[in-house]
């Protein structure tokens, strides 16, 4: 590929080369801080001596600008790969290792490493998160992130981004670290695929890549799911029985990929064998369910869209609301709460800036109990500073002891009501002024998307706003909504639109999909209902107002 005179400090491979550039081979990002030198040494001591791994490794370590890195010389002792300290514009190629230079931030785009002067002050930099996020965006399922020894929380949000794109996450087992802050922070997300000592990581990664990622020149996609619809349906049944949630109508490409990831982790070749494994291992059913739910989320995601919300939507919510009334916002699919808190911050700022007296209430819902618990705690890694202005960070967050985490302030938390809720099956909220449902429908099939938009129309007050993700629209229901900002994906409920076929959106989609009750029901002997019972039930469905049972903590216990 190269001549003997090639400058080893900068591989002479163009992005068009079949062995270089975006997506041709896996790239492993490895982050470490304090204690990282020993962890890196242990990791590369576990690399195979006689074969090439056919992937690239990019090392990101916290180093002071004036600190000379010893990594290059150290790693060259343990690997047959070429080892480079990164220069700006260096193209990543397989079977090579790249090391971030001191005092730089680094990103990956189209398979090329770009160096930046750090924007954050020393002590507040998060170079691992910064690189991992770009790795996830550039490589998708071929991205692999590893967090080794270190203090703080750097790497946590980056691993989440990698997982959301279908990549793999590995963390050093805390008991083998010199400093366990970073590994424990990452493990707390419940998104880590493997927890291992560094020396055991290379073999596990190679096994995973062999089973999960087809080679660049493969003629076969390697997808084991095609042609085995019966086993696939059995998997959906097992997940639905375990969690109460049906993923059979989600986009096949997304669902299949998440199943394949779990199969690759256990080196299972066929769907039928995976069904048997699920039946014997309830913990794996739960792990698959959580893999289905992973999505990208961060504070003020798509800043331009949130700017439109701040300048055009929020003022209208206050101006059109009576003084003693309540502004009601619903964030559907809130995940770990960043988006819901972002909206609450905008509403709080406007309320105080213009001395408004209206009350604000933000309902934030998700089907994942662990995500809701994390959102309710309001505790986030310090790397959220990359997404929030310093002014907002100091005004709405408090730094936790150790400076590794921020906690949302009580005045914002008091505006929130978090609850487990399935937007597809459970009754919707009503009389809502603003619904935010961003990047949830992109995982759903067409049938579900056609049910969700009219349901949101029902939940909104006339003139209420709908805020969707950058790749989502109201589709064929343009007659129900006016477009407020096409680019920001903000729509307004039309006041004169007819509520089309509402009944089918508020009842189970199929006879076998009855929603799980919020509380245990007493056994009822089947029998033919009387005309009075039928009439009363119809009246209750059509006339009785929506109600909620809420405990002292603001948790929703029952929805009617």
């Amino acid at each position: 590929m190269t001549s003997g005179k090639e400058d080893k400090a900068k591989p002479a491979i163009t992005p068009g080369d079949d062995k270089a550039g975006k997506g041709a081979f896996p790239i492993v990002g490895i982050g470490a801080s304090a204690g990282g030198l020993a962890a890196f040494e242990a990791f590369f001591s576990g690399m195979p001596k006689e074969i090439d791994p056919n992937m690239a490794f990019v090392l990101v370590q916290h180093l002071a600008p004036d600190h000379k890195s010893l990594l290059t010389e150290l790693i060259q002792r343990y690997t047959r790969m070429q080892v480079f300290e990164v220069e700006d514009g260096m193209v990543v190629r397989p079977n090579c290792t790249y090391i971030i230079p001191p005092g730089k931030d680094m990103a990956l785009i189209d398979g090329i490493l770009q160096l930046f002067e750090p924007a954050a002050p020393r002590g507040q930099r998060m170079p691992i998160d910064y690189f991992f996020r770009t790795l996830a965006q550039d490589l998708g399922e071929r991205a692999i992130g590893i967090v080794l020894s270190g203090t703080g929380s750097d790497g946590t949000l980056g691993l989440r981004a990698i997982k959301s794109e279908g990549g793999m996450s590995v963390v050093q087992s805390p008991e083998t670290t010199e400093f366990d802050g970073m590994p424990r922070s990452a493990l707390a997300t419940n998104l880590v695929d493997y927890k291992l000592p560094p020396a055991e990581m290379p073999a596990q990664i190679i096994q995973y890549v062999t089973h999960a990622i087809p080679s660049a020149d493969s003629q076969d996609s390697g997808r084991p799911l095609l042609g085995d619809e019966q086993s696939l349906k059995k998997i959906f049944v097992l997940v639905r029985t375990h969690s109460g949630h049906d993923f059979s109508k989600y986009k096949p490409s997304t669902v299949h990929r998440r199943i394949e990831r779990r199969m690759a982790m256990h080196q299972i070749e066929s769907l039928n064998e995976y069904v048997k494994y699920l039946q014997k291992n309830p913990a794996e059913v739960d792990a698959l369910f959580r893999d289905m739910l992973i999505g990208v989320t961060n504070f003020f995601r798509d800043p331009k869209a949130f700017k439109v919300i701040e300048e055009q939507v929020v003022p209208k919510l206050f101006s059109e609301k009576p003084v003693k009334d309540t502004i009601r916002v619903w964030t559907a699919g809130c995940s770990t709460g960043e988006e819901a808190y972002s909206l609450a911050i905008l509403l709080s700022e406007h309320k105080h800036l213009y001395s408004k007296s209206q009350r604000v209430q933000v309902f934030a819902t998700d089907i994942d109990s662990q995500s809701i618990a994390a959102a309710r705690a309001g505790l986030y890694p310090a790397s959220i500073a990359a997404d929030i202005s310093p002014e907002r960070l100091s005004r709405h967050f408090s730094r936790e002891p150790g400076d590794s985490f921020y906690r949302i302030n009580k005045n914002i938390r008091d505006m929130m009501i978090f609850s487990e809720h399935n937007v597809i099956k459970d009754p919707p909220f009503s009389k809502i002024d603003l619904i935010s449902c961003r990047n949830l429908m992109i995982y759903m099939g067409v049938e579900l998307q056609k049910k969700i938009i009219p349901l949101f129309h029902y939940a909104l007050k006339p003139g209420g706003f709908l805020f969707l993700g950058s790749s989502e629209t109201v589709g064929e229901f343009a007659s129900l909504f006016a477009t407020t900002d096409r680019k920001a994906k903000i729509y307004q409920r039309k006041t004169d639109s007819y509520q089309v076929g509402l009944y089918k959106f508020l009842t189970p989609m199929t006879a076998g999909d009855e929603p799980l009750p919020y509380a245990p029901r007493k056994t009822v002997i089947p029998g033919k209902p009387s005309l009075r019972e039928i009439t009363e039930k119809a009246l209750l469905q059509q006339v009785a107002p929506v109600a909620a049972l809420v405990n002292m903590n603001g948790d929703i216990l029952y929805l009617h």
Side-chain angles (χ1 to χ4, degrees):
M1 290 175 59
T2 59
S3 68
K5 296 181 180 180
E6 177 193 354
D7 179 8
K8 289 187 177 182
K10 200 164 188 176
I13 299 179
T14 64
D17 191 300
D18 64 349
K19 293 289 186 179
K22 181 179 179 179
F25 51 88
I27 296 178
V28 183
I30 312 178
S33 180
L37 207 61
F40 283 128
E41 184 177 11
F43 178 90
F44 281 95
S45 70
M47 291 293 295
K49 308 298 183 185
E50 305 300 328
I51 62 171
D52 291 326
N54 295 318
M55 60 188 87
F57 299 83
V58 182
L59 279 53
V60 183
Q61 186 181 25
H62 290 192
L63 292 170
D66 56 351
H67 183 86
K68 177 176 171 54
S69 175
L70 303 175
L71 273 178
T72 303
E73 296 175 7
L74 177 70
I75 291 170
Q76 282 176 335
R77 301 176 196 167
Y78 292 96
T79 180
R80 54 187 279 144
M81 295 184 287
Q82 287 183 290
V83 183
F84 305 96
E85 185 171 287
V86 174
E87 294 181 5
D88 196 24
M90 187 173 276
V91 178
V92 178
R93 61 179 181 176
N95 303 315
C96 293
T97 297
Y98 302 87
I99 299 170
I100 190 172
K104 298 289 183 181
D105 282 344
M106 184 168 63
L108 182 75
I109 181 167
D110 293 327
I112 301 173
L113 294 168
Q114 305 287 343
L115 297 178
F116 298 88
E117 293 299 324
R122 185 175 174 181
Q124 297 182 26
R125 291 179 54 220
M126 298 288 170
I128 302 171
D129 275 328
Y130 187 79
F131 177 73
F132 280 8
R133 282 182 173 185
T134 66
L135 179 65
Q137 293 166 353
D138 214 50
L139 270 290
E141 65 185 46
R142 297 178 188 270
I144 298 172
I146 301 177
V147 171
L148 300 178
S149 175
T151 59
S153 60
D154 196 10
T156 297
L157 295 184
L159 280 189
R160 184 181 186 92
I162 288 172
K163 284 281 289 183
S164 71
E165 296 295 332
M168 173 190 180
S169 62
V170 187
V171 168
Q172 183 175 357
S173 46
E175 63 272 15
T176 67
T177 64
E178 291 184 42
F179 299 89
D180 62 5
M182 282 171 33
R184 290 194 184 280
S185 175
L187 289 168
T189 65
N190 295 306
L191 298 177
V192 175
D193 294 316
Y194 298 103
K195 180 180 69 172
L196 297 167
E200 297 178 16
M201 292 178 181
Q204 187 67 71
I205 292 169
I206 291 171
Q207 284 185 345
Y208 174 84
V209 169
T210 301
H211 287 82
I213 303 177
S215 61
D217 56 355
S218 174
Q219 299 300 313
D220 181 11
S221 67
R223 301 305 191 219
L225 300 178
L226 301 178
D228 194 356
E229 290 299 319
Q230 285 303 110
S231 292
L232 193 59
K233 289 178 181 177
K234 290 176 181 177
I235 291 175
F236 289 138
V237 169
L238 290 171
V239 173
R240 189 177 69 181
T241 301
H242 172 81
S243 67
H245 303 297
D246 185 0
F247 290 93
S248 63
K249 295 180 177 64
Y250 279 56
K251 281 188 177 177
S253 59
T254 300
V255 172
H256 292 185
R257 180 59 198 143
R258 299 296 164 97
I259 293 173
E260 286 175 325
R261 284 191 74 261
R262 301 303 307 176
M263 291 172 61
M265 287 184 62
H266 300 291
Q267 296 159 41
I268 296 173
E269 299 293 342
S270 73
L271 269 185
N272 185 48
E273 287 300 314
Y274 188 56
V275 170
K276 295 177 182 178
Y277 186 81
L278 288 169
Q279 289 177 301
K280 296 177 181 178
N281 298 276
E284 176 61 18
V285 183
D286 187 65
L288 175 59
F289 165 64
R290 302 206 176 280
D291 255 23
M292 299 282 199
L293 302 177
I294 299 167
V296 179
T297 181
N298 48 274
F299 285 93
F300 299 99
R301 188 183 181 200
D302 300 328
K304 292 182 179 178
F306 268 94
K307 197 68 177 174
V308 177
I309 291 288
E310 180 181 10
E311 295 177 351
Q312 298 185 30
V313 176
V314 170
K316 289 183 180 179
L317 296 183
F318 281 93
S319 64
E320 297 176 3
K321 184 71 62 174
V323 173
K324 294 184 180 181
D325 212 338
T326 299
I327 295 172
R328 292 162 55 88
V329 177
W330 177 20
T331 301
C334 71
S335 187
T336 47
E338 289 90 334
E339 182 178 293
Y341 282 126
S342 297
L343 291 170
I345 285 171
L346 294 184
L347 291 160
S348 175
E349 289 177 347
H350 187 90
K351 178 178 179 178
H352 288 93
L353 182 62
Y354 296 99
S355 301
K356 299 291 185 177
S357 58
Q358 292 92 336
R359 185 167 173 254
V360 175
Q361 195 166 52
V362 179
F363 301 96
T365 65
D366 199 276
I367 65 175
D368 182 10
S369 60
Q370 291 186 5
S371 291
I372 287 295
R376 190 176 285 127
L379 187 67
Y380 297 97
S383 48
I384 62 171
D387 304 313
I388 305 173
S389 69
E391 294 78 16
R392 279 184 172 145
L393 203 58
S394 62
R395 188 185 314 145
H396 302 295
F397 294 82
S398 301
R399 199 137 194 180
E400 292 287 287
D403 292 340
S404 297
F405 294 90
Y406 285 101
R407 190 181 296 276
I408 194 82
N409 287 346
K410 187 177 184 298
N411 66 308
I412 300 296
R413 175 60 185 87
D414 287 346
M415 299 164 61
M416 317 296 295
I417 295 178
F418 291 101
S419 173
E420 288 181 57
H421 180 271
N422 187 335
V423 70
I424 299 167
K425 291 167 57 177
D426 294 333
F429 294 85
S430 64
K431 298 182 180 180
I432 299 296
D433 298 289
L434 168 64
I435 293 177
S436 176
C437 182
R438 309 185 69 229
N439 306 303
L440 176 63
M441 290 194 299
I442 57 175
Y443 299 109
M444 297 178 175
V446 175
E447 181 182 346
L448 288 184
Q449 292 182 15
K450 288 182 178 180
K451 295 179 181 293
I452 291 290
I453 295 299
L455 184 146
F456 286 156
H457 180 268
Y458 162 81
L460 284 167
K461 295 178 65 175
F465 292 91
L466 176 63
F467 186 24
L468 299 179
S470 58
S471 300
E472 299 166 331
T473 69
V474 295
E476 63 186 64
F477 297 102
S479 61
L480 301 179
F481 292 90
T483 302
T484 299
D485 191 298
R486 191 174 304 277
K487 193 170 183 180
K489 300 302 172 72
I490 300 171
Y491 303 88
Q492 189 170 21
R493 184 194 192 275
K494 292 183 177 179
T495 57
D496 58 348
S497 53
Y498 176 66
Q499 192 66 44
V500 183
L502 174 62
Y503 178 75
K504 69 177 181 179
F505 301 113
L506 302 183
T507 54
M509 291 182 292
T510 64
D513 281 346
E514 183 180 355
L516 295 179
Y518 285 90
R521 292 176 177 173
K522 295 181 180 179
T523 302
V524 178
I525 301 174
K528 185 176 179 180
S530 66
L531 288 176
R532 175 179 176 177
E533 290 173 325
I534 294 173
T535 304
E536 288 178 344
K537 186 175 182 180
L539 287 171
L540 285 170
Q541 288 177 336
Q542 299 298 322
V543 180
V546 173
L549 176 63
V550 183
N551 67 13
M552 291 176 61
N553 298 321
D555 303 326
I556 298 177
L557 304 178
Y558 178 82
L559 292 176
H560 174 75

